[in-house]
């Protein structure tokens, strides 16, 4: 007769075996899933800020309610690789009002943690604008994360902050002998999908961030950059614009609202440049370039005197041209005029019938974008018009800087740097304004944002020291092979990316000896969500995730 103890021992042994088998399968599946499907990464630096944050401090302004991140000030080493866990004697400015905020000791937060969906051949492959981690070509032991802007087989040019591409098919038709690469046929600007573009817009000003106390010690310390009336003219008496968050016009005639770039912003002005609050570190702000790609928006609430004939017009003046988007109750019309064209000589780029909007007592959201050589108009969040125009890289930089392609390619004639395009003072400023055919009305959420601006540069070290940065000059035009990608950081002034890589890992050199590119075999995948944002410190030790910043990555 078998004892019950023997049977129980057999069952326990079988149960233990099943448990071990289940755990083994689970571990194997986890490693397979991590290796081939999804993997987590920690963002170490601010080269992708503000899309993804590396180690940083976070500040909050009691005046505007603005919350923003700033990179490290203090480091343990001269190469600035290892920031101090506590940052000392930090002084930054509220990006919404310019108010100074000082902190004697500020804790440093860790970077965002992201999930990455692995690229799988013929299933999920790299696309332009993906935020992608990869093995750094300069040191294959290190992972970098940037945005893919150039795809295999393309020719790439960075002109006035935008990406221009020339596919292999265009080059196959033959390049004209002796003609600059940027003046060749077949170039197109790389336009961003709407959801990607919205994620990349960087706020310059929002009336909702107006300070709670614009006067201190009986003096006004904050000045809004929006002025009522015509540019440069005395203020229109019908406007009520101070530090309030809503702007009101009580008049009945035509009027305007224009951006005064000379208005004071703390110790600066409201110039439309590629400024990053993240980069306000102890060593000063980096070089800033005037930006022509902007998005302006407002919510208009017409008053009782508003008629069907009334209209709202968004105007952008940049790169030697004026762009107008007119929104009325019956249509949207987009026009363009060169700066030297006779008054009234406009080119209509697009028009679209519009259902009744802009009614008294109703608030309508209006957005006008001038981005990637296109004018887009959105009504209540829906794009109703997209009017495109096409300039080559050569045309774009000449309009932006007033320099000819010959002058750019022969800098010795000007006695300047090897890449004259790095001289930010040569770029024309951008002006924006709204025009209204009549009133009265109230404006809410008056906002101005800008697109990313990829800066030109010059190699400072390595075998290419003194030469123009990759793709940022006609003589450094990049041509990708069928296995190469080009990647740039969203925080262009502070990103070590494909423009300036000057080293190659010996193992990578055997694979691909081209500086500045990412070979297909080095790509890991696409970042698709921040699952554990930079955490709060509690008591100097415990970490509490900032769940409010969990988000998808575009």
């Amino acid at each position: 007769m078998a004892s019950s103890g023997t049977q129980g021992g057999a069952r326990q042994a079988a149960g233990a075996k099943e448990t071990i088998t289940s755990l083994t399968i689970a571990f194997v599946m986890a490693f397979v899933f991590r290796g081939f499907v999804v993997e987590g990464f920690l963002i170490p630096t601010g080269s992708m800020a503000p899309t993804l944050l590396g180690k940083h401090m976070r500040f909050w302004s009691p005046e505007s309610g603005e919350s923003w991140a700033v990179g490290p000030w203090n480091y343990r080493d001269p190469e600035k690789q290892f920031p101090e866990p506590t940052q000392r004697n930090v002084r930054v400015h509220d990006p919404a009002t310019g108010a100074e905020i000082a902190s004697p000791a500020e804790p440093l937060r860790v970077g965002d943690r992201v999930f990455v969906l692995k690229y799988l051949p013929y299933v999920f492959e790299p696309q332009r604008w993906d935020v992608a981690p990869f093995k750094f070509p300069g040191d294959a032991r290190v992972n970098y994360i940037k945005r893919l802007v150039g795809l295999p087989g393309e020719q790439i040019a960075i002109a006035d902050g935008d990406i221009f591409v020339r596919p292999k098919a265009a080059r196959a038709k033959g390049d004209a002998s002796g003609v600059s690469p940027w003046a060749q046929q077949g170039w197109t600007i790389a336009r961003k999908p709407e959801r990607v573009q919205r994620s990349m817009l960087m706020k310059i000003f929002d009336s909702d961030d107006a300070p709670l106390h614009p006067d201190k010690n009986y003096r006004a310390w904050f000045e809004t950059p929006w002025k009522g009336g015509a540019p440069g003219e005395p203020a229109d008496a019908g406007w009520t614009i101070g530090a309030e968050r809503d702007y009101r016009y009580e008049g009945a005639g035509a009027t305007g609202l224009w951006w005064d770039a000379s208005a004071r912003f703390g110790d600066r002005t409201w110039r439309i440049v590629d400024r990053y609050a993240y980069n306000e570190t102890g060593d000063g702000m980096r070089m800033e370039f005037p930006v022509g790609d902007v998005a302006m928006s407002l919510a208009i609430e017409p008053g009782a005197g508003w008629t069907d004939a009334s209209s709202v017009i968004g105007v952008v003046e940049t790169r030697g041209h004026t762009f107008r988007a007119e929104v009325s109750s019956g249509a949207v019309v987009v026009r363009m005029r060169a700066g030297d064209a006779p008054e009234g000589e406009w080119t209509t780029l697009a028009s679209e019938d519009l259902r009744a909007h802009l009614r008294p007592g109703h608030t309508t959201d209006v957005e006008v974008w001038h981005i990637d050589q296109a004018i887009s108009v959105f009504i209540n969040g829906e794009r109703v018009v997209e009017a495109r125009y096409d300039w080559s890289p050569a045309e774009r930089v000449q309009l932006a800087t007033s320099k000819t392609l010959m002058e750019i390619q022969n800098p010795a004639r000007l006695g300047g740097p090897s890449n004259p395009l790095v001289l930010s003072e040569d770029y024309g400023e951008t002006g924006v304004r709204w025009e209204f055919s009549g009133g009265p009305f109230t404006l809410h959420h008056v906002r101005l944002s800008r697109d990313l601006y990829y800066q030109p540069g010059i190699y400072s070290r390595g075998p290419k020291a003194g030469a123009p940065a990759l793709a940022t000059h006609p003589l450094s035009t990049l041509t990708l092979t069928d296995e190469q990608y080009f990647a740039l950081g969203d925080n262009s002034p502070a990103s070590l990316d494909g423009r300036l890589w000057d080293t190659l890992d010996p193992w990578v050199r055997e694979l691909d000896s081209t500086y500045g590119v990412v070979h297909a075999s080095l790509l890991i995948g696409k970042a698709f969500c921040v699952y554990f944002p930079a955490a709060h410190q509690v008591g100097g030790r415990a970490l509490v995730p900032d769940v409010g910043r969990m988000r998808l990555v575009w």
Side-chain angles (χ1 to χ4, degrees):
M1 180 177 178
S3 69
S4 59
T6 302
Q7 292 176 351
R11 285 194 297 270
Q12 290 178 357
K17 181 178 180 181
E18 290 176 0
T19 301
I20 293 173
T21 301
S22 299
L23 289 173
T24 301
I25 293 173
F27 275 113
V28 169
M29 291 298 294
F31 279 112
V32 169
F33 189 77
R34 179 182 181 276
F36 294 97
V37 184
V38 173
E39 184 176 356
F41 285 84
L42 173 66
I43 307 301
T45 70
S47 67
M48 281 295 294
T51 306
L52 297 174
L53 300 178
K55 293 180 180 179
H56 66 281
M57 301 169 284
R58 181 160 286 278
F59 293 90
W60 175 77
S61 169
E63 285 288 347
S64 65
E66 184 80 354
S67 175
W68 72 101
V70 177
W73 278 47
N74 312 133
Y75 291 83
R76 297 177 177 178
D77 62 310
E79 290 77 23
K80 296 186 176 181
Q81 298 294 315
F82 304 100
E84 295 283 359
T86 300
Q87 302 284 296
R88 304 288 180 182
N89 301 318
V90 176
R91 289 181 178 272
V92 298
H93 294 82
D94 177 1
T97 66
E100 183 180 275
I101 294 180
S103 175
E106 192 70 26
L108 194 68
R109 301 186 180 203
V110 297
D112 290 333
R113 289 176 171 84
V114 298
F115 275 136
V116 172
L117 185 62
K118 298 296 186 72
Y119 290 130
L120 298 173
Y122 309 109
V123 178
F124 180 66
E125 296 186 332
Q127 303 292 322
R128 194 186 325 277
W129 309 120
D130 281 359
V131 176
F134 51 86
K135 298 296 181 182
F136 174 43
D139 185 348
R141 298 168 299 178
V142 178
N143 293 328
Y144 269 29
I145 185 165
K146 309 290 181 186
R147 193 178 293 274
L148 300 183
V149 301
L151 303 179
E154 293 179 336
Q155 208 166 39
I156 307 296
I158 303 174
D160 190 25
D162 278 336
I163 305 299
F164 289 77
V165 299
R166 190 168 177 244
K168 184 186 296 186
R171 302 199 311 276
K173 297 178 181 178
D175 292 344
S177 176
V179 177
S180 168
W182 285 17
Q184 300 282 355
Q185 298 295 316
W187 287 99
T188 58
I189 194 167
R191 294 185 172 94
K192 309 173 194 72
E194 181 186 338
R195 64 183 181 185
V196 173
Q197 183 60 75
R198 286 193 179 276
S199 73
M200 296 168 73
L201 286 177
M202 297 188 183
K203 181 173 62 175
I204 297 175
F205 177 86
D206 191 333
S207 63
D208 289 345
D209 295 334
L212 296 176
H213 306 96
D215 300 321
K216 291 182 179 179
N217 299 323
Y218 304 101
R219 296 182 61 185
W221 64 271
F222 174 79
E223 181 181 7
T224 177
W226 289 108
K227 304 293 190 276
E233 298 294 329
D236 189 330
W239 281 96
T240 301
I241 303 175
E244 293 83 4
R245 301 189 175 189
D246 295 333
Y247 303 160
R248 293 179 176 84
Y249 179 65
E250 302 296 338
T255 189
L257 185 72
W258 62 282
W259 181 267
D260 182 5
S262 66
R264 300 305 302 175
F265 171 65
D267 59 351
R268 294 169 243 158
T269 60
W270 286 104
R271 292 177 62 219
I272 301 174
V273 294
D274 61 335
R275 181 178 295 139
Y276 287 75
Y278 188 94
N279 294 342
E280 191 181 9
T281 54
D283 54 0
M285 299 293 286
R286 292 169 170 81
M287 184 179 294
E288 298 173 343
F289 284 77
V291 178
D293 283 12
V294 295
M296 47 198 295
S297 62
L298 52 75
I300 182 168
E301 182 182 354
W306 190 273
T307 69
D308 289 343
S310 301
S311 62
V312 177
I313 303 172
V315 181
V316 178
E317 295 177 325
T318 188
R319 302 339 184 211
H321 287 69
T322 300
F323 302 88
R324 292 171 59 89
E326 180 176 350
V327 180
S328 65
S329 295
V332 176
V333 182
V334 176
R335 296 185 175 93
M336 175 177 74
R337 184 181 69 192
D340 56 359
E343 184 67 27
E345 187 174 301
W346 293 89
T347 298
T348 299
L349 298 179
S351 62
E352 188 71 32
D353 292 338
L354 189 66
R355 296 189 303 274
H357 283 285
L358 308 180
R359 292 173 294 167
H362 293 77
T363 300
T364 301
D365 295 328
V366 180
E367 299 175 68
V368 176
W369 293 7
H370 172 255
I371 293 176
D372 294 342
Q373 296 184 177
I375 306 294
S376 295
V377 179
F378 298 82
I379 304 295
N380 293 329
E382 178 184 354
R383 193 194 316 247
V384 294
V385 168
E386 182 184 33
R388 300 180 176 185
Y389 61 96
D390 294 303
W391 293 334
S392 69
E395 293 171 316
R396 179 68 175 271
V397 294
Q398 184 167 346
L399 288 166
T401 66
S402 298
K403 286 187 172 71
T404 67
L405 204 56
M406 182 174 293
E407 290 173 327
I408 292 169
Q409 294 187 154
N410 296 277
R413 295 185 177 185
L414 304 177
S418 62
N419 187 357
L421 297 175
V422 303
L423 301 174
S424 62
E425 62 270 22
D426 288 345
Y427 290 75
E429 301 285 338
T430 294
V432 297
R433 67 179 184 272
W434 292 97
E435 296 177 357
F436 308 90
S437 61
F441 53 82
T442 300
L443 303 180
H444 314 277
H445 319 305
V446 183
R447 186 169 186 168
L448 180 66
S449 302
R450 67 168 180 88
D451 190 15
L452 288 184
Y453 189 97
Y454 295 112
Q455 292 190 355
I458 297 174
Y459 286 95
S460 61
R461 61 183 186 182
K464 295 188 176 184
L470 191 59
T472 69
H473 184 273
L475 300 183
S476 67
T477 303
L478 172 63
T479 302
L480 298 168
T481 70
D482 291 338
E483 294 184 310
Q484 293 175 342
Y485 293 83
F486 189 49
L488 301 176
D490 284 3
N491 186 355
S492 185
S495 174
L496 179 59
D497 51 38
R499 294 167 299 171
L500 293 170
W501 290 335
D502 54 10
T503 59
L504 277 175
D505 186 287
W507 174 78
V508 175
R509 186 182 295 274
E510 294 183 5
L511 182 69
D512 190 334
S513 60
T514 307
Y515 287 95
V517 302
V518 180
H519 192 272
S521 62
L522 301 179
L523 288 176
I524 297 172
K526 174 185 177 180
F528 69 92
C529 78
V530 176
Y531 72 92
F532 195 99
H536 298 285
Q537 286 192 343
V538 178
R541 298 180 64 183
L543 296 177
V544 178
D546 186 358
V547 294
R549 299 195 74 252
M550 296 176 67
R551 61 200 184 277
L552 295 175
V553 177
W554 299 110

